[in-house]
């Protein structure tokens, strides 16, 4: 529905789960084919902070490491 309404949709792929890995892989492939962007938690956090000048950059970097 979000895509149909003109939104750019991002799915945090490593925050998605399913009982079977094949179901997760298939769902993510379908979403990707539909125009959804796949990202990761790490990519999302750094994108939200934009650059190393963000006040929480060092703390987030330490958590990711």
């Amino acid at each position: 529905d979000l895509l149909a309404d003109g939104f750019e949709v991002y799915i945090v792929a490593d925050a998605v789960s399913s009982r079977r890995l094949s179901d997760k892989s298939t769902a993510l492939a379908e979403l990707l084919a539909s125009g959804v962007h796949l990202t990761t938690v790490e990519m999302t956090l750094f994108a939200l902070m934009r650059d190393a000048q963000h006040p929480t950059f060092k703390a987030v970097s330490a958590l990711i490491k």
Side-chain angles (χ1 to χ4, degrees):
D1 289 346
L2 290 170
L3 287 172
D5 287 343
F7 287 93
E8 230 179 308
V9 179
Y10 289 80
I11 298 290
V12 182
D14 56 346
V16 173
S17 182
S18 181
R19 290 180 296 170
R20 288 178 281 223
L21 183 57
S22 62
D23 290 333
K24 176 183 173 180
S25 301
T26 301
L28 291 175
E30 285 288 316
L31 289 165
L32 191 59
S34 297
V36 169
H37 301 278
L38 298 182
T39 188
T40 65
V41 170
E42 182 175 344
M43 290 172 60
T44 301
L45 289 172
F46 285 122
L48 289 170
M49 290 185 291
R50 298 185 188 219
D51 61 35
Q53 304 310 311
H54 194 279
T56 61
F57 181 83
K58 287 185 180 182
V60 171
S61 292
L63 286 173
I64 290 173
K65 290 179 183 179

